[in-house]
Amino acid sequence: MKHIVCFSGGKDSTAMLLKMLEENKTVDYIVFCDTGKDFEEMLEHIEKVRKYLKNNYNKEIITLKPKRSFDYYMFDHIKTKGKNKGKKGYGWPTMFCRWCTSNLKNKLIDDFAKPFRQEGYFEYVGIAYDEPKRIKEKSYPLYYEWKMTEKDCLKYCYEKGFHWNGLYEHFDRLSCWCCPLKNLKELKVMYQYYPKLWNKLKDMDNRSFNRFRADYSIEQLEEKFQKENLKKVRLIKEYPLSNISSNWIKECYEIYNKDEIEE
């Protein structure tokens, strides 16, 4: 029986992996699926974990890479069945068609585990105690054994010295930077703090046959966020600073020149 840890690099899978090793649980393989769309800070975190595992447990992270890239599936893949047979590209993933998860993660892990089917294997996934709706037919020690919430997992990782270079100061959850299933709060963070990635999103949205989201294109989101930011600037100019949230003021100073706001 093999024990395979699915390591995404996020707070939950990181906490699960470190705690399993800390408690001397059997870990035969640690696999990370490289979609090519992780934040640079996430890749740096994974390298930090890789060194930590090697130095403390003599364990390796196996990186699985798909034969075809995210961009290939999104723009160039020729559909071979269904009503869109013969058309190029899946376009943006949606809630009902998450081809990215299927082709760039699930398939890779399934292929990796095939040689162990006869003897059997456990697949460990980092699902926190406050995420019961995500439970499927796999092994979830965070949920069943340790009852660790998302907050517990993040605190545990921080105490171990893993901080993701500040990613969790901006996001509650981490996924691919181009994920269209991000909520509006996360997308606004992308727009304000990751302008290079935001410009890449705009380019991808212009090339795709479907819009980034059903309710907004990237350009419409940009217009929406700009209006919201300008509204905050007007409030700072028109009302006493003591009456305005310090977070709002800080956010405006980060977006606009301080002198411009106070003139």
Side-chain angles (χ1 to χ4, degrees):
M1 184 69 71
K2 298 298 183 185
H3 299 260
I4 304 170
V5 173
C6 298
F7 176 62
S8 70
K11 64 185 187 310
D12 300 335
S13 70
T14 299
M16 176 187 69
L17 171 60
L18 297 180
K19 196 162 180 63
M20 286 181 70
L21 293 171
E22 188 179 74
E23 296 194 357
N24 294 315
K25 293 187 178 296
T26 302
V27 174
D28 294 307
Y29 299 102
I30 305 163
V31 295
F32 163 67
C33 297
D34 185 358
T35 64
K37 297 297 183 183
D38 280 299
F39 286 93
E40 189 62 34
E41 293 88 342
M42 174 60 80
L43 297 178
E44 291 170 0
H45 164 76
I46 289 168
E47 286 308 307
K48 186 176 180 180
V49 174
R50 194 188 300 275
K51 292 177 182 177
Y52 178 87
L53 298 182
K54 183 66 175 177
N55 293 336
N56 291 277
Y57 299 100
N58 197 30
K59 294 286 185 183
E60 300 282 353
I61 297 174
I62 299 172
T63 298
L64 306 178
K65 294 192 176 186
K67 293 180 180 179
R68 301 284 192 173
S69 69
F70 184 103
D71 285 7
Y72 166 81
Y73 284 110
M74 182 169 177
F75 302 115
D76 301 320
H77 177 70
I78 304 296
K79 301 182 183 69
T80 57
K81 57 184 178 181
K83 63 179 182 180
N84 293 318
K85 182 178 179 180
K87 292 185 178 180
K88 286 182 65 175
Y90 286 118
W92 286 114
T94 68
M95 184 65 72
F96 305 104
C97 182
R98 299 179 69 171
W99 55 261
C100 48
T101 302
S102 300
N103 291 315
L104 305 178
K105 291 186 177 182
N106 295 346
K107 186 179 186 306
L108 272 63
I109 293 172
D110 288 346
D111 288 346
F112 178 83
K114 274 181 183 178
F116 314 122
R117 285 181 180 173
Q118 188 170 353
E119 65 174 295
Y121 64 90
F122 287 110
E123 187 178 325
Y124 296 88
V125 180
I127 302 294
Y129 192 62
D130 43 0
E131 302 178 286
K133 292 182 179 180
R134 296 181 62 200
I135 294 292
K136 297 179 181 178
E137 294 180 0
K138 295 180 182 179
S139 299
Y140 305 96
L142 290 175
Y143 185 87
Y144 290 112
E145 187 171 350
W146 301 314
K147 296 179 171 50
M148 291 176 68
T149 64
E150 292 186 77
K151 185 177 180 180
D152 294 332
C153 291
L154 187 59
K155 182 174 181 290
Y156 176 82
C157 291
Y158 279 173
E159 290 172 350
K160 291 286 185 180
F162 297 101
H163 298 88
W164 290 268
N165 293 314
L167 276 178
Y168 279 110
E169 295 173 16
H170 289 157
F171 300 97
D172 295 327
R173 301 185 60 81
L174 295 177
S175 58
C176 294
W177 57 262
C178 58
C179 180
L181 301 182
K182 281 181 168 57
N183 59 40
L184 290 178
K185 175 186 173 183
E186 293 171 324
L187 290 170
K188 190 170 184 179
V189 167
M190 283 285 298
Y191 166 69
Q192 292 182 178
Y193 296 100
Y194 302 90
K196 290 182 179 179
L197 294 181
W198 184 262
N199 286 332
K200 288 183 179 180
L201 274 182
K202 285 199 291 186
D203 178 65
M204 293 170 74
D205 202 33
N206 289 333
R207 293 171 60 194
S208 179
F209 72 86
N210 60 340
R211 289 204 306 185
F212 182 69
R213 289 170 54 115
D215 50 355
Y216 293 103
S217 67
I218 291 294
E219 290 185 354
Q220 289 172 331
L221 281 172
E222 186 169 300
E223 183 178 350
K224 170 182 170 65
F225 297 150
Q226 286 174 345
K227 287 180 179 178
E228 290 173 355
N229 289 338
L230 287 172
K231 182 178 179 181
K232 290 181 180 181
V233 171
R234 285 197 296 270
L235 282 173
I236 290 176
K237 289 181 176 180
E238 293 174 8
Y239 294 91
L241 293 182
S242 59
N243 294 344
I244 301 175
S245 164
S246 60
N247 287 336
W248 270 34
I249 297 172
K250 179 183 177 184
E251 189 175 283
C252 287
Y253 283 169
E254 289 175 342
I255 299 167
Y256 298 97
N257 181 281
K258 183 174 180 179
D259 295 332
E260 180 183 347
I261 292 175
E262 296 181 343
E263 68 181 12

